[in-house]
Amino acid sequence: LGGHRGAEALTVGRQQATPPPVPGPVPVPAAGDGGTAERSGGDELSEPLRQLNGLIGLRGVKQEVTALINLIKMSQVRLQMGLPMPPMSRHLVFAGPPGTGKTTVARLYGSVLKELGILSKGHMVEAARADLVGQYIGSTAIKTTELVTKALGGVLFIDEAYTLSSGSGGSGPDFGQEAIDALMKMMEDHRDELVVIVAGYSELMEQFLASNPGMASRFTRTIEFPNYSVGELVTITSNLVSKHYYELTDDAVDALTAYFTRVPRNATFGNGRVARKLFEALINNQASRLAANPPTKDNELNRLTAADVEPELALLEDLPVEPGEQPDAATDPTGAINAARSWKRICGLVGGQRVKEAAGQTLLRLCEGRNRRRGPGRTGNVLIGGAAGSGRSEYARLYTACLSELGLVPVGQLVRVSTRRELAPQWPGQAASLVAAVLDDAAGGVLQLDYADDGSGVAPEIAEALVAQMRSRLGDPVVVLTGEEPALASLRAAVPEVNEVFGQQWSVPEFSTDELAEIVLRHLVRRGHEVPDDVREALPRMAGQLPERTVHAAHQFSLALTRRTGSRTLALADLAAPPPPVGERLGGLAAVG
């Protein structure tokens, strides 16, 4: 495929009496899809693609590989129709930590290329520095040539390829460079018969590609393999357990989750290898446990419990947690989000479960996009709807803190403005200048716009100016627009372009009576009060009488109780008076988390 150029491709196309029908593209798995992606019509490519999409996790990897397969497939169709082929390289860089499935994906990639007719065999030959570099002058070129010849018609997979340019391995840097030079020549001589995939840690692979201009020109596509999340590692372990006819008890699953949450994610973390090693340890621990206490039932031989995980958890107790061992958003976005202080504060807020889930998914998509060298774009821009005093601004503030803590924005500032104050124009046409100024002030961080429409037409005018300028600088700054639900609905209708620059809308729900009581309780405790059990039990009844089901109303009630009691310990008598009317706003959820 890669050997055809210009006139040759056109000649081949003209020799076809009738071009073959254009096949449907391979479906790209949807975000979060860990299942299979079926092709219509019983396509013969469905099996390797089904295996690819059946792998645990690796959502971004699946999308990148599937997109490349689509590109190759359409290039074949263009060639058959006599059209010039787009420039492309089938050689790949797999960057990321060990144990993340790079070898498996490389093998499946070769199988797909064989069924596409790109490769004649589709087999995979694995190699490392020792397989390419000789022990004496002249032997390296011979070893490299023999290895590449063995891989012709398939995929040559070189693990830890960066060692070729680092001079490690005991053979000296010149021998490693000799292997690189020989490999580059063989790749050029057999460009239609060979696919080369080089793999290794992300930073080291960048240095490897920069060490040779010819290398960078041949390996133009890098696919990042992230660390597995805690849930994915638990699933991998569970699959190993089932494969060997064991079963996990519920407490064992909880213990596995605790183990993978606490295990250090440093540079040597082995991902799937850690899961396999843990499974072997569970089997050994179960054998020791049953030897000491022989089972009375046969099914106990197949059951793994939390007691079998406890020895491995105990080994983690003595491991100090260093700052450098915290999850890295570049390799373990899920772990990094869960470890972020700002995210923990979001999770600790009362109520709003759907908002929390939406915020978590947004942060995950932003991390994965950044790891594929993509900016926030419209994904980071959010509309937050809810009643006044429901905590919209607190979600915006903590969301901003998360973006900064995870390195998703270069500057962590939050600039907050309102359509009624800072952006209210004094003459026609001024809104554009006001919007441009606040966008510049928030550049590199987050702009929060409190949107309120009084029916005069000014608010939609400000929104139109905002959308127009966001288009040219999408994602810088990230924009969070807050407002009441009816106002946001009117905004979407009046300015449909809003949907083009805001990726989603979060809706802060109304609080239940129990949630309002919890907010009141937390506010009282934060202010130093002691709340006896009888008062705690009575709070839901009083919270149900609040004039608004908002955080603000709960805070007002708490302050009224504080003024009424005049002492540290509250009493039932302090709850006798009716809830006070809603007065001056006190702010969002600052006293809730």
Side-chain angles (χ1 to χ4, degrees), residues 194-438:
L194 178 69
V195 167
V196 178
I197 298 177
V198 291
Y201 293 102
S202 299
E203 294 181 1
L204 296 176
M205 291 306 297
E206 290 180 3
Q207 299 173 13
F208 171 66
L209 295 178
S211 69
N212 188 306
M215 196 115 55
S217 65
R218 287 171 175 81
F219 295 98
T220 59
R221 185 183 292 258
T222 298
I223 298 178
E224 292 283 346
F225 283 69
N227 278 321
Y228 286 116
S229 68
V230 171
E232 290 165 352
L233 288 168
V234 171
T235 301
I236 292 172
T237 308
S238 299
N239 288 350
L240 288 170
V241 168
S242 300
K243 180 180 178 181
H244 291 82
Y245 299 98
Y246 287 89
E247 61 181 24
L248 291 168
T249 60
D250 292 341
D251 60 350
V253 174
D254 294 339
L256 287 178
T257 302
Y259 179 88
F260 287 120
T261 300
R262 292 160 55 184
V263 68
R265 299 291 187 101
N266 51 29
T268 60
F269 181 65
N271 287 283
R273 299 173 191 173
V274 172
R276 288 191 293 272
K277 182 178 179 181
L278 178 61
F279 168 66
E280 294 172 359
L282 296 183
I283 300 303
N284 292 335
N285 294 340
Q286 186 221 39
S288 298
R289 174 171 60 84
L290 295 181
N293 298 286
T296 58
K297 299 179 181 179
D298 292 343
N299 59 4
E300 293 184 28
L301 294 172
N302 300 329
R303 187 170 297 163
L304 299 175
T305 69
D308 302 319
V309 187
E310 286 175 2
E312 308 311 309
L313 282 170
L315 293 176
L316 297 179
E317 296 292 342
D318 299 329
L319 293 178
V321 179
E322 301 295 337
E325 293 181 351
Q326 296 299 322
D328 183 2
T331 56
D332 181 17
T334 301
I337 293 170
N338 288 331
R341 292 183 178 181
S342 304
W343 174 246
K344 291 178 181 178
R345 289 174 180 171
I346 290 178
C347 293
L349 298 178
V350 175
Q353 185 60 34
R354 290 185 178 179
V355 180
K356 298 172 186 176
E357 292 174 356
Q361 289 298 318
T362 299
L363 293 171
L364 182 59
R365 286 196 295 270
L366 289 172
C367 286
E368 292 176 341
R370 189 268 310 279
N371 295 343
R372 296 196 293 272
R373 297 176 176 83
R374 298 174 184 171
R378 67 189 292 269
T379 302
N381 299 332
V382 183
L383 302 172
I384 303 181
S390 61
R392 301 171 311 204
S393 294
E394 185 69 6
Y395 279 111
R397 184 182 69 82
L398 292 176
Y399 174 57
T400 299
C402 284
L403 295 177
S404 176
E405 193 172 351
L406 295 169
L408 296 170
V409 292
V411 185
Q413 90 274 15
L414 172 65
V415 176
R416 183 177 178 182
V417 295
S418 167
T419 55
R420 290 177 172 174
R421 296 186 298 274
E422 295 85 355
L423 295 184
Q426 301 301 310
W427 64 82
Q430 187 190 15
S433 298
L434 297 175
V435 168
V438 297

Side-chain angles (χ1 to χ4, degrees), residues 23-27 37-53 66 69-70 72-74 76 108-118:
V26 177
E38 299 291 341
R39 291 171 56 88
S40 59
D43 196 302
E44 61 181 352
L45 298 181
S46 61
E47 180 55 31
L49 288 171
R50 187 181 298 114
Q51 293 182 36
L52 174 65
N53 290 312
T66 308
I69 293 170
N70 285 341
I72 293 173
K73 199 172 187 67
M74 292 304 102
Q76 283 185 307
L108 292 173
Y109 180 57
S111 299
V112 173
L113 294 185
K114 177 183 182 299
E115 296 192 1
L116 283 173
I118 303 300

Side-chain angles (χ1 to χ4, degrees), residues 65-145:
V65 173
T66 308
L68 178 57
I69 293 170
N70 285 341
L71 177 60
I72 293 173
K73 199 172 187 67
M74 292 304 102
S75 298
Q76 283 185 307
V77 175
R78 290 179 60 87
L79 178 63
Q80 293 166 348
M81 297 179 68
L83 298 172
M85 293 175 54
M88 60 179 295
S89 172
R90 300 189 301 269
H91 308 301
L92 300 174
V93 178
F94 283 1
T100 49
K102 293 189 287 290
T103 305
T104 301
V105 173
R107 184 178 294 109
L108 292 173
Y109 180 57
S111 299
V112 173
L113 294 185
K114 177 183 182 299
E115 296 192 1
L116 283 173
I118 303 300
L119 296 175
S120 59
K121 299 179 182 178
H123 67 298
M124 188 180 77
V125 174
E126 296 184 54
R129 177 186 168 91
D131 301 306
L132 295 164
V133 178
Q135 300 298 316
Y136 54 87
I137 297 175
S139 63
T140 295
I142 296 174
K143 292 186 69 173
T144 301
T145 301

